[in-house]
Amino acid sequence: MRKLLRLCPLLLAVALLFGAGPAFAGKRVALVIANSAYQHAPSLTNPVNDGSVMARTLKEAGFDIVDSRRDLTAQETRRVLREFADGTRDADIAVVYYAGHGIEVEGSNYLIPVDAKLERDTDVFDEALSLDRVLVAVEPAKQLRLVILDACRDNPFGKTMKRTVASRGIGRGLAQVEPTSPNTLIAYSAKAGFTAQDGDGANSPFTVALSKHLTTPGLDVRRAFGFVRDDVLKSTGNKQEPFVYGSLGGEDVPLVPVKVTAAAAAAPAPNPQADIRRDYELALQVGNRPAWEAFLAQHSDGFYASLAKLQLEKIGAEQAHAAATEKAKQAEAERDRLAAVGAQKDTQAKAAADAKAAEQVQLAAQKAKEQAQQQAAAAEQQRVNLAAAAPSAAPASTASPAGTNVASLTPATAPADLSRSVQTELGRVGCFSGAADGNWTTSAQRSLSQFNRYAGTKLDVKVASTDALDTVKSKQSRVCPLVCEHGFKADGDKCTKIVCRDGFAINDDNECEKQRVAKPAKPATAKPATAKRDDADERPARQRRQAGGEAAGAAGGFGGAAGIAAAAGTSRRSSGGQLFCNNSGCRAVNRGCHLEYRGGGGPGNDANAEVCN
């Protein structure tokens, strides 16, 4: 009996060596496509290099078939996919890696061959290859179907492509996808809706990380992509985040199995922390409340339990904030409705108080949500740092070693830094023109409100939040229109002075308008001189009548001369002066002088006298 017991380890080793062989000896096939030399778009430098690296990595990992192609036309791509599909019929694992240009049209993703022109948006259906066509090629594989796309680049045809329908959406990067076939994963080099970087070296950051982690023997493919994500975020300064869509079962699925030897019979002692860590990472990938509650039901204490509780607190704070925001909107709507229908003042006052209280609750919930998000992010960053420092090590204690430490971590981003970051991003998209000083003033609130208007978002403008920062960051071009002063016009991101050609001037509508030529003024016609009244006019009416009678009745005499002088003085005053007449003749009255009527008239007795001031 003892001899039999002694033989058990040896028998177990033989069983593992031969019995487990068929499970790990499954056929693995891969197709690598790298498009760089585009005929109707700028060439890409990295895809061919990336394709070479991935083909070499998969060959060294022991794949049975690695078909590597480069610069394929649409017809060649269809033929290669058809041939590859024939090779996956008896395969357990099928992998397709594509590097090149991709495009998203109305929620569907397409790979762009090198001969595509894409003059119109509808040409994508004829000249490009849909992602669904690639999924059909890997569908026959039994254990794992994996499609890797390093194609989240800017659309090179976006500026020249004509839109046949104005409402047809052409997105940035690739669209989110949910595989319908089981055991299927689709990995993007950047999250849906974002673009990836080519990097400064010969290979993209995504491909460098893939070649490092994807074919690690015994490493579950999901964990491998988790390490890829961490490396890319680190190398790009958190600007690019790879993402994986799809799901697998509970068993580990490594691309490269661990070689089984007789020494494996002496199975190492189980590592509970490794199992807990794996469960934690799966819950983190799902990311909802039921997943974390299920994790805590299995692992109620310890390092990872503390992290899970922070994740639950973050979810609860986000849900509370959403509920408070909705309640505040309802309270504001009720207050406005009562004001519109002219309800009683006390009713309106109560509604206004309720709206104010709901707003305060919303602000408190916003702050609680941000604090919970920052604590969860800081704790997760600590976990990643620990794993990077010692990947195989686990926290030494199982009795909540990070209990208080995790909960009291310093927030990753201080409020002033967060406000400054939001202001900087708002300035980048043209919605904020002030200084990014970190003070969330009314000016900054108006800027975020303007962003909501033109971006179609509903961000809370009262505080600077991480949601606002992420949303504004996602906009890669100007959102708010450029407003220029009168006499200037928008020219890209600057205001330039409007210059009108000769004969035109800027009108009130800020447009050049032809000037009207003014007609020459007609020369003024001299009006008949009108005599001014002098002191003689103030004489009594009787004297005026007498003077008139004497002037009329003394023809040729001195009285006639006086009458002529008076008449001349009356008729020529507006021409610059009066005439003084006597028996010697007539002359102009000196400047600054005037005539005064003295009465009488005759030889030696003038009727008018010249008086000078």
Side-chain angles (χ1 to χ4, degrees), residues 186-272:
I186 302 175
Y188 286 1
S189 57
K191 186 187 296 186
F194 291 82
T195 56
Q197 300 181 18
D198 281 331
D200 299 327
N203 299 105
S204 71
F206 181 60
T207 298
V208 171
L210 280 176
S211 63
K212 179 180 177 183
H213 298 291
L214 189 60
T215 57
T216 302
L219 182 63
D220 181 70
V221 66
R222 289 161 291 192
R223 292 196 60 202
F225 278 111
F227 291 133
V228 169
R229 169 190 174 274
D230 294 343
D231 283 6
V232 173
L233 282 172
K234 183 178 180 180
S235 63
T236 62
N238 293 327
K239 294 180 181 179
Q240 178 180 337
E241 181 183 7
F243 219 81
V244 179
Y245 301 93
S247 63
L248 301 178
E251 296 295 328
D252 284 355
V253 183
L255 283 187
V256 180
V258 177
K259 293 182 180 180
V260 181
T261 62
N271 185 353

Side-chain angles (χ1 to χ4, degrees), residues 266-278:
N271 185 353
Q273 287 296 311
D275 296 336
I276 296 175
R277 180 173 60 188
R278 185 185 64 181

Side-chain angles (χ1 to χ4, degrees), residues 318-404:
E318 291 172 345
Q319 293 175 344
H321 174 254
T325 301
E326 183 61 28
K327 188 173 181 180
K329 290 180 180 179
Q330 294 175 357
E332 290 178 0
E334 178 64 13
R335 179 196 61 192
D336 296 340
R337 185 189 68 81
L338 292 175
V341 300
Q344 295 182 355
K345 291 185 177 180
D346 56 346
T347 303
Q348 292 190 39
K350 183 178 182 301
D354 292 342
K356 184 66 175 178
E359 181 182 356
Q360 295 298 324
V361 173
Q362 179 191 4
L363 292 175
Q366 172 73 20
K367 293 181 180 178
K369 182 190 78 167
E370 291 180 1
Q371 183 178 4
Q373 288 176 336
Q374 292 165 0
Q375 289 182 349
E380 177 61 18
Q381 185 61 48
Q382 186 193 47
R383 183 189 71 83
V384 172
N385 293 341
L386 289 174
S392 60
S397 172
T398 60
S400 187
T404 56

Side-chain angles (χ1 to χ4, degrees), residues 423-454:
Q423 289 172 333
T424 301
E425 291 299 321
L426 285 172
R428 182 181 60 80
V429 298
C431 299
F432 182 67
S433 57
D437 53 8
N439 296 321
W440 195 248
T441 59
T442 54
S443 175
Q445 294 177 13
R446 285 195 299 269
S447 299
L448 186 54
S449 177
Q450 189 180 23
F451 176 86
N452 281 337
R453 175 186 175 188
Y454 290 103

